[in-house]
Every structure is written in C-alpha cells, then in structure tokens.
C-alpha cells in the first residue's frame, strides 16, 4: 500500500516551498505522481454588488485572477522541473465562494492532499476552505505542513492521537502506509476514560490491530496537564522527536458546509511537525 497520487492546491505565486518540498520527497520515496492545481482566486463577491454596479469591477477582478493563475502555474512548473518525480499542473480561476467545489472534485481522485498550514498573517482567506473541502467534501486524507518544516520522505517516529473516535480510527487507517514504514508508532492516549471496556488497557486493541500489519507500536498514556489537548500532543511530539502526528479531523456546520473544530484548528495553528488528518 502506498500513496500514488499526490495533490496540492496553490493560490499564491509565492509558492509554499515547505508543502511542495514535502510532497516531492514523498513522491520520490513512494514512486508517486505529483499534481499541482494552480488557482487564481476571484475574490469579488458578485452577489453583494448593488444593481447597476460597474461591470469594470468584475472584469478587472477576473483579469487579475487569470493573471495570478498563469503566474502560479509558471512558478509551479519551474519548481517541479527541477525534480526527478512525475508531475503535472493545471491552472484555472475559481471564485472564493466556490473554490471548495473545485478542490473537492480533484481531492476525490487523490490518495493524499499535501497543503500548507492554513493559518497565519500571510495566508489568504481561501486557505481554510481548501483544507476543509479536501477532507469533508473530497473525503481525502490531508497532510498539513508547517511553513518552516524540512521535507521528510518517510517519518521514523509517528504519534497517533487516539481517543476512540470514528474520526481517529479513520485517520489511522488512511495513514497505514506511513505507520507500517515507521520505526516507531506511539499511540498517545490523553486522560483515558475511567469507565469503559478499555479502561484497564487504553490503546491495547488498537496496538494489537496495528501490530498485525507489522506496525511497531508503543502506548503512551498522558495526563492533560495543559489547557488544550493540542498543546499536550505538540509537547510530546517534541519530547519524542516525532516526525508526524496522525489525528482525526473534526468539523461542525456554520455558514459554510464545514468549519474546522477547535481541537483541529488549534493543532494546525501550533503544530511544529506535519499533521496527517482525515475525517
């Protein structure tokens, strides 16, 4: 089992080098194909223009988005031409309110979507909807790469955040290629329930299941000694020199179809290593 179709979505001519570098490293290790979807984003909200608004405004916004798409595509090609992997690019224009549909369609046919961290002062408003669309609508696993992360072709130590949820189990199953190849997989259980079928052996059944795939597991039971679970996970990742964190993605409906839940958002805001998410 391996990831053979890798996708990234680019919306800025200043390419996210960390995410691209990580994707190329994975492609080299797994003999995969790299695909870059280069989108110029039309940020005009046509539904909000009053009747009789100057058509020049809409025309100028569309022209700018087309120019951005061409520049992004050219930059992506220049980057990928310097690698040894198989690759392809595609450019297009998407309205910001409709960008999720384009991303979800392409993510649906990808084994793994590799994206930059969606939060930060220099991130566009489309960054979070792109992550959401890939996971919640495209049903693809997503690897979020911190801005300054060094590419890791195969993570040696992987933390698995285990809380017995359906989302966590789905992420673990989708991450199996990474888990099988890792030197050590640390199943992290934070404040396990005091009552329940697994209270005497938290993480035991998961460890047994993974071991049958050849995964080398250890179980770390931790106390929630910090305000947020994401803080505990990040600290443990630093303490164990982990290369990746695997966790389930959580969302809830608001004005958009899905918005990343608090635990997921906190991890993406503060994570220091790539985070593998699936919903």
């Amino acid at each position: 089992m391996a990831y053979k179709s890798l996708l990234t979505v680019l919306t800025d001519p200043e390419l996210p080098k960390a995410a691209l570098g990580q994707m190329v490293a994975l492609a080299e290790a797994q003999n995969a194909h790299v695909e870059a979807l280069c989108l110029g984003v039309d940020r005009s909200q046509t539904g909000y223009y009053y009747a009789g608004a100057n058509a020049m405004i809409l025309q100028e916004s569309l022209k700018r988005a087309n120019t951005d798409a061409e520049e992004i595509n050219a930059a992506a090609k220049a980057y990928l031409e310097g690698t040894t992997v198989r690759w392809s690019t595609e450019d297009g224009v998407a309205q910001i309110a409709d960008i999720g549909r384009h991303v979800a369609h392409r993510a649906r046919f990808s084994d793994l979507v590799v994206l930059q961290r969606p939060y930060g002062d220099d991130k566009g408003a489309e960054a979070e909807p792109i992550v959401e669309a890939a996971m919640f609508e495209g049903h693809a696993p997503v690897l979020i790469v911190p801005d300054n992360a060094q590419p890791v072709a195969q993570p040696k130590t992987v933390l698995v955040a285990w809380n017995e949820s359906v989302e966590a189990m789905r992420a673990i199953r989708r991450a199996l290629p990474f888990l099988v190849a890792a030197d050590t997989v640390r199943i992290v259980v934070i404040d396990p329930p005091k009552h329940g079928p697994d209270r005497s052996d938290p993480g035991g059944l998961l460890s047994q299941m993974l071991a049958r795939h050849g995964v080398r597991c250890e179980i770390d039971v931790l106390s929630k000694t910090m305000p947020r679970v994401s803080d505990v996970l990040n600290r443990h990742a630093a303490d164990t020199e982990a290369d990746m964190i695997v966790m389930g993605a959580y969302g809830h409906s608001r004005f958009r179809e899905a918005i990343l839940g608090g635990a997921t958002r906190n991890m993406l805001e503060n994570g220091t290593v790539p985070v593998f998410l699936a919903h």
Side-chain angles (χ1 to χ4, degrees), residues 126-181:
E126 71 278 1
E128 186 181 41
I130 286 172
V131 175
E132 294 170 1
M135 283 193 299
F136 294 105
E137 299 169 57
H139 304 288
V142 175
L143 184 65
I144 302 295
V145 183
D147 296 340
N148 299 318
Q150 294 300 312
V152 178
Q154 173 54 57
K156 300 301 182 185
T157 301
V158 180
L159 296 193
V160 170
W162 178 236
N163 61 359
E164 301 184 9
S165 68
V166 172
E167 290 84 356
M169 180 58 82
R170 181 164 297 174
I172 291 164
R173 289 195 170 110
R174 301 298 289 272
L176 268 175
F178 286 129
L179 304 184
V180 170

Side-chain angles (χ1 to χ4, degrees), residues 3-275:
Y3 304 107
K4 291 298 184 181
S5 296
L6 306 179
L7 172 70
T8 193
V9 182
L10 307 173
T11 59
D12 190 332
E14 295 295 324
L15 302 180
K17 297 297 194 301
L20 278 170
Q22 178 62 65
M23 186 168 65
V24 168
L26 292 177
E28 290 173 343
Q30 306 202 27
N31 191 26
H33 182 95
V34 166
E35 182 178 7
L37 178 60
C38 307
L39 295 177
V41 182
D42 176 6
R43 292 179 169 80
S44 63
Q45 297 282 6
T46 54
Y48 293 101
Y49 282 108
Y50 58 86
N54 193 336
M56 289 295 292
I57 298 175
L58 304 181
Q59 184 178 355
E60 181 60 30
S61 180
L62 186 59
K63 181 180 177 181
R64 188 184 307 115
N66 272 295
T67 300
D68 286 347
E70 293 172 359
E71 291 180 357
I72 296 166
N73 193 34
K77 284 182 175 180
Y79 183 94
L80 293 170
E81 282 171 351
T83 70
T84 59
V85 301
R86 300 189 309 277
W87 59 272
S88 60
T89 66
E90 180 180 344
D91 63 341
V93 171
Q95 243 195 349
I96 192 166
D98 191 42
I99 196 169
R101 179 172 61 87
H102 299 277
V103 173
H105 175 70
R106 302 310 293 265
R108 196 169 296 129
F109 300 99
S110 302
D111 295 324
L112 180 66
V113 182
V114 182
L115 297 171
Q116 64 176 338
R117 177 184 290 172
Y119 305 113
D121 295 337
D122 59 339
K123 301 301 191 297
E126 71 278 1
E128 186 181 41
I130 286 172
V131 175
E132 294 170 1
M135 283 193 299
F136 294 105
E137 299 169 57
H139 304 288
V142 175
L143 184 65
I144 302 295
V145 183
D147 296 340
N148 299 318
Q150 294 300 312
V152 178
Q154 173 54 57
K156 300 301 182 185
T157 301
V158 180
L159 296 193
V160 170
W162 178 236
N163 61 359
E164 301 184 9
S165 68
V166 172
E167 290 84 356
M169 180 58 82
R170 181 164 297 174
I172 291 164
R173 289 195 170 110
R174 301 298 289 272
L176 268 175
F178 286 129
L179 304 184
V180 170
D183 291 343
T184 304
V185 172
R186 310 188 76 92
I187 299 171
V188 181
V189 184
I190 300 174
D191 281 353
K194 297 180 180 179
H195 305 285
D198 299 326
R199 64 186 182 277
S200 62
D201 185 19
L205 288 177
L206 175 61
S207 176
Q208 175 180 278
M209 184 195 86
L210 292 177
R212 289 170 179 163
H213 285 277
V215 178
R216 294 161 288 280
C217 299
E218 296 183 15
I219 300 174
D220 299 334
V221 180
L222 308 177
S223 297
K224 189 183 176 186
T225 55
M226 304 175 78
R228 297 181 298 195
V229 168
S230 59
D231 295 331
V232 178
L233 286 173
N234 281 323
R235 184 180 63 183
H236 197 56
D239 291 343
T240 58
E241 298 182 344
D243 303 304
M244 180 183 291
I245 296 174
V246 174
M247 62 182 291
Y250 305 90
H252 45 259
S253 296
R254 284 292 187 271
F255 299 108
R256 292 202 301 268
E257 192 164 325
I259 291 182
L260 295 176
T264 307
R265 183 186 178 102
N266 290 338
M267 178 57 72
L268 298 189
E269 286 180 330
N270 304 307
T272 56
V273 299
V275 179

